[in-house]
Amino acid sequence: MKREELVALACEAMERAYAPYSRFRVGAALLTKSGKVYQGCNIENAAYGPSNCAERTAFFQAIYEGEREFSAIAIVGGLEGKIRGFTAPCGVCRQVMQEFCKPDFEIHLWNGKTYQTYTLGNLLPIGFSAENISE
Ligand code: THU
């Protein structure tokens, strides 16, 4: 699947955001190695802490469905859903990616005009993973 198509699916997912507190809507589209796509949006909470990012919504949905191998994710976001800048994944989402993805996992960002592509290795170097706690 092309980067443009994955970003389009992230934009579609952003429409479903539940973000009444920050009004910052985020959408993500997660591509499995077998070619399936799982979409996610941010889901906020009046207590703030229980809010969930779009990336984790997509990952948790995919994991629940039994998926374990991922090749890329596209992420878009903007205040009131207007994409003006790049939305990079937060630290917690990077750590969730680290649990399930290799360092070559691709992260595509779109600011409404241009693309940026990173790898998980770029965004989370020297990460902590299952290997660290294995015997
Ligand atoms: N958010 C995401 O969903 N993904 C990101 O990569 C950055 C932040 C959400 C969390 C919160 O609902 C809103 O954006 C503002 O921080």
Side-chain angles (χ1 to χ4, degrees):
M1 168 171 286
K2 287 194 206 121
R3 175 172 72 173
E4 289 77 2
E5 292 175 83
L6 200 60
V7 166
L9 290 169
C11 292
E12 183 184 280
M14 187 177 64
E15 303 287 322
R16 303 206 177 180
Y18 176 75
Y21 307 107
S22 72
R23 299 183 290 120
F24 192 86
R25 304 171 77 85
V26 184
L30 174 63
L31 180 65
T32 69
K33 287 203 171 156
S34 63
K36 268 190 90 173
V37 176
Y38 291 85
Q39 292 164 285
C41 61
N42 55 332
I43 303 169
E44 297 185 345
N45 190 284
Y48 290 18
S51 299
N52 202 55
C53 290
E55 297 90 323
R56 276 177 286 145
T57 303
F59 264 97
F60 296 159
Q61 176 89 6
I63 295 299
Y64 174 75
E65 295 293 341
E67 302 288 354
R68 292 294 184 271
E69 295 195 326
F70 304 99
S71 56
I73 193 167
I75 308 160
V76 297
L79 201 62
E80 312 287 12
K82 291 185 188 74
I83 302 169
R84 289 203 205 94
F86 294 108
T87 297
C90 79
V92 172
C93 289
R94 292 179 200 200
Q95 185 62 29
V96 169
M97 292 173 192
Q98 174 83 353
E99 185 69 23
F100 299 108
C101 305
K102 303 271 182 293
D104 66 352
F105 176 74
E106 290 184 321
I107 298 155
H108 303 301
L109 311 180
W110 163 250
N111 70 353
K113 289 190 183 117
T114 57
Y115 296 94
Q116 284 183 351
T117 293
Y118 299 92
T119 63
L120 181 57
N122 294 148
L123 297 190
L124 187 58
I126 327 171
F128 185 84
S129 66
E131 282 173 30
N132 294 95
I133 53 173
S134 67
E135 284 179 32

